[in-house]
Amino acid sequence: MENSEDKTVRHIVNYLTNYDWLYQYSIFVDVNDLDVEEAKNVAKNWLLKFDDKRFRDYLRKKKGNEDVAMMYVIRKHLHRNHPSKKSFQQFYITIYSSGEIQGIDHIQSYYSDFPLNTLDRKVTDKKIESTCSALKNQKLHDLSLLGGKKRYTIINKAKLRLIEAP
């Protein structure tokens, strides 16, 4: 019998592999100007105060995003770039999209008490494959600290475009 974690992985992998994603955006709190103990705390806890539902509604309703499908995923990684040279866990948000997302660069003051960085890049088949492989082969990160926030959400689901078979 499939457990909820396996089901979640299967759903995310299905969305990544069967639908057309053109861009990937990563949003994370900038902790490099903080001392290491404060940086660890902020990196781990900033999403507790981040109003993800309000942010998802903003993305959905922002002019220019009406025809853009998005998959919003909460993730965690090892932050290795702190000036202290110490590594620690950091939560971040990844958004896969079927087009350019409008307004993503204006989220800072509206959605977070902490400085945020946003990175974007074109999605490649190789990146999708490596992400899916990691999802299938590694245990999902524990998000229980985040008080029931959803691991992933599809925004503008009706705008998803299936990848056509060759």
Side-chain angles (χ1 to χ4, degrees):
M1 189 163 148
E2 186 177 51
N3 67 32
S4 65
E5 188 172 292
D6 292 339
K7 187 176 179 181
T8 298
V9 168
R10 186 172 46 82
H11 285 168
I12 293 172
V13 167
N14 175 58
Y15 282 117
L16 285 172
T17 57
N18 293 315
Y19 294 93
D20 192 23
W21 304 109
L22 300 178
Y23 296 94
Q24 177 183 339
Y25 297 85
S26 296
I27 303 166
F28 53 96
V29 66
D30 184 352
V31 294
N32 287 338
D33 289 338
L34 304 175
D35 71 72
V36 70
E37 290 308 314
E38 186 177 9
K40 285 180 185 179
N41 184 46
V42 169
K44 185 172 92 175
N45 293 311
W46 76 279
L47 270 174
L48 286 171
K49 293 183 178 180
F50 188 80
D51 191 340
D52 54 315
K53 290 177 185 171
R54 187 171 159 209
F55 179 59
R56 289 189 304 249
D57 285 346
Y58 166 78
L59 290 175
R60 181 181 297 112
K61 295 174 184 176
K62 178 73 176 162
K63 185 171 174 54
N65 290 340
E66 303 89 351
D67 293 327
V68 179
M70 297 169 246
M71 181 166 63
Y72 175 104
V73 184
I74 296 176
R75 303 181 74 178
K76 186 165 62 168
H77 76 120
L78 193 61
H79 180 76
R80 293 186 171 109
N81 298 328
H82 192 268
S84 69
K85 306 290 188 223
K86 296 196 178 187
S87 299
F88 47 87
Q89 292 293 315
Q90 179 171 22
F91 284 107
Y92 67 103
I93 299 165
T94 295
I95 303 171
Y96 296 92
S97 67
S98 64
E100 288 188 59
I101 299 176
Q102 302 302 311
I104 201 155
D105 51 343
H106 299 292
I107 64 169
Q108 172 55 58
S109 61
Y110 195 54
Y111 294 100
S112 179
D113 295 335
F114 305 105
L116 298 177
N117 289 325
T118 304
L119 300 176
D120 62 87
R121 65 178 171 192
K122 292 257 190 180
V123 172
T124 64
D125 290 343
K126 186 174 183 172
K127 181 60 181 164
I128 294 290
E129 288 172 22
S130 69
T131 299
C132 290
S133 176
L135 283 166
K136 291 176 187 176
N137 296 315
Q138 299 171 6
K139 189 174 192 276
L140 289 178
H141 294 112
D142 180 10
L143 300 184
S144 60
L145 169 73
L146 297 178
K149 289 187 188 290
K150 292 176 72 173
R151 182 176 300 276
Y152 79 99
T153 300
I154 304 298
I155 300 169
N156 295 336
K157 191 172 187 174
K159 301 301 179 178
L160 285 170
R161 293 187 307 255
L162 272 170
I163 295 174
E164 296 183 22

